[in-house]
Amino acid sequence: MTDARPASGAIVNAMTVDVEDYFHVSAFDNVVSRASWDALDSRVARNTDRLLEVFERAGVRSTFFVLGWVADRFPALIRRIADQGHEIASHGYNHQLLYMLTPKQFREDVRTAKTAIENASGRRVMGFRAPSYSIIESSMWTIDVLIEEGHVYDSSIFPIHHDRYGIPSSPRHPYTLQRASGSLLEVPGSTVRLGGVNWPIAGGGYFRQLPYAWTKWGIDRVNRLEREPVVFYTHPWEIDPDQPRMRVGAATRVRHYRGLERTSGRLQRLLQDFRFDAISSVMDLAPSNAA
Ligand SMILES: [Zn+2]
């Protein structure tokens, strides 16, 4: 028998996709101006459709954090994602790092995004994920804005050291943030704790570039030893080896382009090895109603 389907009693993990195009990546901000986005050849719809096929074959529901910019230009894509039973959430509008914004600019960005995504999907948005996980110590004020603008949970605080993001001392598993403006569920990026340090295990460049065994070991460890779900994340451009290459430095080139050809196959394997569902189901939040 080679049937490696996870046992039905296994922990259900959260699958998430940040729906953005290959040119939206924060590390390309210096070489791709926002003004040029509309002139570039978009690949987000076809790549997201390929992800939808992968999820459908595996019978998995995911949370799709949609960029408002994408929702305004490809509303039929967002409707397709929602109609296939996936959760629709927000990735902001303009993909700007939150710690570069003023509170006024951030409020404008999330409000515009939520409206665009709800209009395109016909569903209420509960969740938010910041571009490049950019909620850090100095941008914690964004939590108040998210609460005031009607979000129920956030999935942007990575408890690690990284050159662009992370709050290393923050909790590793879902927790409630209590603020003067109300409360918000935080669903952090997933890590294993080894030698007193948190190591990311579930998605992005780590998934493409480290051996698959690292991700598998990490998720298994969190599920079995800690009895907690992990939050896996990917992007439509991560399964597209043919995307146009940006003129960036060697380090950024490696970080963003290495391993693109193996991501789709690895993702399919991951969906066989573990159970996954949307964040709203894993966290038992009220189903999203019509917007
Ligand atoms: Zn993003």
Side-chain angles (χ1 to χ4, degrees):
M1 284 288 285
T2 55
D3 184 2
R5 292 294 298 179
S8 59
I11 296 249
V12 181
N13 299 290
M15 176 56 62
T16 71
V17 178
D18 295 353
V19 182
E20 65 193 34
D21 229 315
Y22 63 94
F23 47 80
H24 289 134
V25 172
S26 297
F28 300 161
D29 279 353
N30 293 332
V31 292
V32 187
S33 70
R34 280 187 174 68
S36 69
W37 285 358
D38 272 313
L40 293 167
D41 175 30
S42 175
R43 301 170 72 88
V44 68
R46 82 191 82 166
N47 288 333
T48 303
D49 278 330
R50 287 179 56 208
L51 280 175
L52 286 172
E53 280 171 33
V54 168
F55 291 142
E56 176 156 29
R57 276 202 301 274
V60 166
R61 288 173 67 249
S62 172
T63 295
F64 285 76
F65 292 98
V66 177
L67 199 63
W69 188 94
V70 171
D72 267 347
R73 282 154 186 81
F74 304 98
L77 170 68
I78 311 311
R79 175 66 78 161
R80 258 195 319 277
I81 300 170
D83 286 349
Q84 292 187 27
H86 299 286
E87 181 190 1
I88 300 290
S90 169
H91 193 36
Y93 197 92
N94 271 319
H95 212 270
Q96 288 159 294
L97 298 171
L98 302 199
Y99 44 78
M100 306 294 279
L101 299 178
T102 65
K104 188 164 176 279
Q105 289 170 325
F106 178 60
R107 188 182 300 277
E108 173 78 17
D109 185 274
V110 287
R111 187 180 289 177
T112 313
K114 196 163 180 285
T115 302
I117 296 160
E118 290 182 342
N119 286 343
S121 66
R123 305 292 200 282
R124 187 166 79 87
V125 162
M126 291 193 287
F128 176 81
R129 174 170 291 152
S132 297
Y133 289 100
S134 55
I135 298 186
I136 59 175
E137 294 278 13
S138 66
S139 54
M140 279 301 285
W141 54 266
T142 55
I143 298 297
D144 296 307
V145 177
L146 289 173
I147 294 167
E148 287 160 10
E149 294 299 322
H151 300 80
V152 174
Y153 73 87
D154 170 73
S155 183
S156 313
I157 302 179
F158 230 120
I160 57 167
H161 283 285
H162 185 279
D163 56 358
R164 281 200 308 276
Y165 56 80
I167 303 179
S169 60
S170 59
R172 294 178 46 241
H173 299 302
Y175 56 101
T176 302
L177 286 159
Q178 298 288 357
R179 310 282 296 187
S181 53
S183 65
L184 191 75
L185 175 67
E186 175 59 35
V187 186
S190 291
T191 56
V192 291
R193 189 160 180 83
L194 282 179
V197 176
N198 298 336
W199 303 89
I201 49 164
Y206 317 103
F207 185 62
R208 292 197 312 275
Q209 301 184 17
L210 297 177
Y212 173 75
W214 167 253
T215 299
K216 186 166 193 290
W217 173 83
I219 297 177
D220 198 55
R221 183 180 167 96
V222 172
N223 284 177
R224 275 180 205 259
L225 293 186
E226 303 186 68
R227 302 302 298 165
E228 292 278 357
V230 303
V231 182
F232 187 87
Y233 72 98
T234 189
H235 303 81
W237 53 263
E238 288 194 273
I239 59 160
D240 180 9
D242 301 323
Q243 66 190 270
R245 299 299 195 262
M246 300 298 167
R247 291 172 183 277
V248 290
T252 301
R253 207 159 51 233
V254 167
R255 190 184 270 185
H256 286 278
Y257 295 139
R258 200 169 72 184
L260 293 174
E261 67 291 338
R262 45 176 185 247
T263 310
S264 180
R266 282 188 174 187
L267 183 60
Q268 291 171 58
R269 190 170 164 194
L270 186 75
L271 298 178
Q272 294 297 315
D273 286 345
F274 298 95
R275 297 181 71 199
F276 286 97
D277 204 335
I279 287 181
S280 57
S281 298
V282 170
M283 300 311 303
D284 207 15
L285 303 171
S288 46
N289 304 315

